[in-house]
Amino acid sequence: MRYADSNCRAEELLLYAVTDRSWLNGQTLYEQVEAALNGGATFIQLREKKLDEAAFLEEARQIKALCAGYGVPFVINDNVEIAASIDADGVHVGQEDMDAGEVRRKLGPDKIIGVSAQTVAQAIKAMEQGADYLGVGAVFPTNSKDDAVEVDKDTLKAICRTVDIPVVAIGGITAGNVTDLEDTGICGIAVISAIFAQKDIEKATRELKKRVKKITEKKEY
């Protein structure tokens, strides 16, 4: 279902894969993303902290084309300029980045804008400024983000009850703990190591998707 004020559908956010170069192990990032897509990832975010702009731009173009071939939305983490220059499907920004209203002015009305939130107040503000979905967390301890703030289950539930846009849980989620998020109101999960740190990315993605689908399928959108 597409929320009334969102440019993305809830089912597109079911299994949101965030890239990371930490576990390439001789593969290219393109190959790893393709494996995740073959396993059923429904949304891809390109997250790069160390590449120079030219390399980032070229990589973004390649992975955008890959995702388009699978019909999967492709967004850039933080970098609004890169997202605009390659005509990505959208961008995801944190609380310390450009606010959703300014991002919307730069990218236009039809692009997907995701915003990280840790409190109900942040969630409401992002929604009012035009965010299409929220990434809420960290819902579990995580090593993927040094400054991650943990969000308890009650806060996650409160955010889901309060906003009228899709909510994705993020932070420390694994195949082993994803069932703890049942009945919170999320429409999906965003993961990094639960996909890209696994020896068989395609298999790990497929199994994780089954588990998250099971905990979200009872929710009425």
Side-chain angles (χ1 to χ4, degrees), residues 117-119 136-140 149-156 159:
Q118 290 79 41
T119 68
V136 176
V139 294
F140 300 110
V149 176
E150 287 192 38
V151 175
D152 61 41
K153 195 171 182 178
D154 287 341
T155 300
L156 177 60
I159 290 172

Side-chain angles (χ1 to χ4, degrees), residues 39-216:
T42 60
F43 203 100
I44 299 291
Q45 179 191 129
L46 180 61
R47 181 175 183 259
E48 289 289 2
K49 298 296 185 180
K50 298 179 180 179
L51 280 188
D52 63 61
E53 186 168 349
F56 190 178
L57 194 62
E58 180 56 28
E59 178 182 78
R61 287 195 180 103
Q62 291 176 2
I63 296 181
K64 174 197 169 186
L66 174 64
C67 292
Y70 283 80
V72 168
F74 170 70
V75 301
I76 302 290
N77 181 67
D78 292 348
N79 198 316
V80 179
E81 288 71 27
I82 292 283
S85 66
I86 69 157
D87 194 28
D89 294 315
V91 69
H92 184 93
V93 294
Q95 287 295 313
E96 303 303 318
D97 302 313
M98 191 183 298
D99 67 47
E102 182 61 24
V103 177
R104 180 63 70 201
R105 284 188 286 275
K106 285 181 175 291
L107 295 187
D110 300 324
K111 293 299 184 181
I112 299 170
I113 297 175
V115 177
S116 298
Q118 290 79 41
T119 68
V120 172
Q122 289 175 354
I124 292 172
K125 180 181 177 182
M127 178 180 68
E128 291 177 342
Q129 290 183 335
D132 292 296
Y133 72 89
L134 300 173
V136 176
V139 294
F140 300 110
T142 177
N143 294 321
S144 296
K145 199 167 185 292
D146 295 336
D147 59 349
V149 176
E150 287 192 38
V151 175
D152 61 41
K153 195 171 182 178
D154 287 341
T155 300
L156 177 60
K157 286 183 176 180
I159 290 172
C160 290
R161 287 195 303 267
T162 303
V163 300
D164 296 323
I165 55 177
V167 175
V168 175
I170 189 169
I173 302 171
T174 67
N177 64 23
V178 66
T179 54
D180 294 344
L181 298 172
E182 189 170 12
D183 298 324
T184 56
I186 60 170
C187 67
I189 60 170
V191 296
I192 302 176
S193 61
I195 287 178
F196 293 110
Q198 306 309 305
K199 186 175 181 179
D200 188 333
I201 290 174
E202 183 175 338
K203 181 180 179 182
T205 305
R206 188 176 295 111
E207 290 302 314
L208 188 57
K209 186 176 183 180
K210 288 178 184 176
R211 296 189 185 201
V212 70
K213 191 172 183 179
K214 187 174 181 180
I215 69 165
T216 59

